[in-house]
Amino acid sequence: MSQPIPFGTRPGPSDRTALVEVVQQVARGDKQAFSTLYDALAPMVFGIVVKVVRDRAQSEEVTQEVMIDLWRQAARYRPEAGGVTTWAATIAHRRAVDRVRSAQAATDREQAQAARAHATAFDEVAEQVETRLESEQVRRCLRGLTELQRQAVSLAYYQGLTYREVAVALRAPLPTIKTRMRDGLIRLRDCMGVST
């Protein structure tokens, strides 16, 4: 069959039979038959797809994908299950719906990622503010300690020295340093409002 099947209002019985024969030829790999099938069905397929997808460029892509599916699936077509146009329309509708769902899923992913990025940025800012406030509170509380307590606590916590190293640095006996540290930490805890 080299002439395209007329695609008018509704195919009559002879047109349906001709389409079935064309699909059978396509199933055997006949490229000319596929050209005929393409000419007969592409306008209908595009019409279905554009109604679902609503974007001309994407509809053209989906129509091409459907026509390739018809080429690949021609051997699976069973005339007793329905007409060729119904078969093609079903494949077209499914492909169009898949494209819409895929596009919606991509949009949803982008929006979720943007929301996560926004929430992360907000969390980082909130965390920085909280850390800054806590640091200011610690500095204020440290100013409330005696000079000896502040030196011992600062050496231990800011410079990472052990009790023994603090005792050596301040030239004081180890039991005195432990007492200063304990008293200083208790005052810091009370000043910071930390409950035990």
Side-chain angles (χ1 to χ4, degrees):
M1 290 188 112
S2 59
Q3 291 296 320
I5 296 170
F7 195 81
T9 53
R10 187 166 230 194
S14 62
D15 292 340
R16 288 185 194 139
T17 305
L19 277 176
V20 170
E21 290 172 11
V22 169
V23 171
Q24 290 169 347
Q25 291 171 355
V26 170
R28 292 189 293 269
D30 185 332
K31 292 179 183 176
Q32 185 60 41
F34 178 70
S35 177
T36 301
L37 186 69
Y38 190 98
D39 292 341
L41 298 179
M44 177 203 63
V45 167
F46 180 76
I48 291 169
V49 171
V50 80
K51 284 180 184 175
V52 175
V53 175
R54 298 185 184 268
D55 176 80
R56 186 168 182 82
Q58 284 193 36
S59 296
E60 290 171 357
E61 287 177 22
V62 173
T63 298
Q64 292 303 314
E65 292 169 6
V66 170
M67 297 312 294
I68 291 169
D69 282 350
L70 295 178
W71 169 264
R72 290 178 180 159
Q73 295 180 31
R76 293 189 205 158
Y77 171 71
R78 298 289 172 256
E80 61 276 5
V84 173
T85 55
T86 303
W87 172 64
T90 302
I91 292 172
H93 188 263
R94 286 182 187 156
R95 274 286 188 157
V97 168
D98 287 348
R99 175 63 65 100
V100 170
R101 286 181 180 156
S102 175
Q104 184 61 49
T107 300
D108 292 347
R109 279 192 305 274
E110 289 171 5
Q111 288 175 348
Q113 185 172 352
R116 281 192 304 273
H118 178 70
T120 301
F122 174 76
D123 289 346
E124 288 173 5
V125 169
E127 189 174 310
Q128 289 173 356
V129 168
E130 188 175 324
T131 301
R132 182 170 290 146
L133 289 174
E134 287 174 356
S135 296
E136 289 174 14
Q137 186 177 9
V138 168
R139 282 193 289 276
R140 183 179 48 79
C141 290
L142 277 172
R143 286 192 300 266
L145 300 179
T146 67
E147 183 62 30
L148 297 174
Q149 289 171 334
R150 184 172 40 253
Q151 286 176 339
V153 169
S154 295
L155 288 171
Y157 287 94
Y158 291 121
Q159 294 185 18
L161 300 181
T162 64
Y163 286 134
R164 188 172 306 284
E165 292 169 334
V166 171
V168 169
L170 294 178
R171 296 188 181 116
L174 183 58
T176 303
I177 293 301
K178 287 183 178 182
T179 302
R180 287 180 191 165
M181 291 280 294
R182 186 190 75 235
D183 292 345
L185 291 174
I186 289 170
R187 288 179 78 177
L188 277 175
R189 180 193 67 201
D190 293 343
C191 178
M192 300 275 304
V194 177
S195 59
T196 55

